[in-house]
Amino acid sequence: QVQLVESGGGLVQAGESLRLSCAASGLTFRRFAMAWFRQAPGKEREFVAAIDWNSGTPYYGDSVAGRFSISGDSAKRTIDLQMNNLQREDTANYYCAACVGECGGTFRRRGATYDFWGQGASVTVSS
């Protein structure tokens, strides 16, 4: 059974930083990908970041590029999300997701691509 567990959420003021971590257990597949998504109250789920394990290339949503940084260890099945210069609009539940099989290209930014999801970590940014 695959489980994803996020940690590191919290309440910060605008301009401050937070780091989220996600650890996957039971993810024994050879081909897989991991990513971060977020969903704010009343809004649709939004792609935040993903990393290509083969090339090390990170991918970011337009609203977080330049402020957020994704890193991870494929062997350990972990990914982190360093969030800098947080703004009120970054307030959301942040979800770690894992995809098995073909997860790259045009599929990477789609929530429907991912097979497993964590329970979410709450991030609240006050001004």
Side-chain angles (χ1 to χ4, degrees):
Q1 182 180 359
V2 176
Q3 286 190 319
L4 304 176
V5 179
E6 303 99 335
S7 61
L11 171 64
V12 296
Q13 293 189 335
E16 294 183 339
S17 300
L18 271 179
R19 187 176 184 87
L20 300 180
S21 296
C22 174
S25 60
L27 194 60
T28 59
F29 306 93
R30 292 187 62 185
R31 292 185 63 190
F32 70 97
M34 296 177 72
W36 290 99
F37 286 78
R38 69 185 183 185
Q39 187 165 21
K43 294 189 177 181
E44 293 186 353
R45 182 172 54 197
E46 177 186 14
F47 171 78
V48 175
I51 186 168
D52 184 310
W53 296 121
N54 290 330
S55 64
T57 302
Y59 297 86
Y60 299 101
D62 292 341
S63 60
V64 305
R67 299 186 298 122
F68 290 14
S69 177
I70 187 171
S71 60
D73 186 324
S74 61
K76 294 181 179 179
R77 301 332 197 223
T78 61
I79 54 171
D80 296 321
L81 185 68
Q82 177 65 39
M83 305 182 292
N84 297 328
N85 191 21
L86 284 160
Q87 303 299 315
R88 287 189 63 183
E89 52 267 32
D90 295 315
T91 295
N93 284 323
Y94 284 71
Y95 297 92
C96 175
C99 164
V100 176
E102 181 55 60
C103 312
T106 58
F107 302 106
R108 192 186 319 272
R109 297 170 183 263
R110 303 177 186 173
T113 295
Y114 294 82
D115 305 287
F116 306 101
W117 294 83
Q119 81 286 354
S122 177
V123 173
T124 302
V125 184
S126 64
S127 59

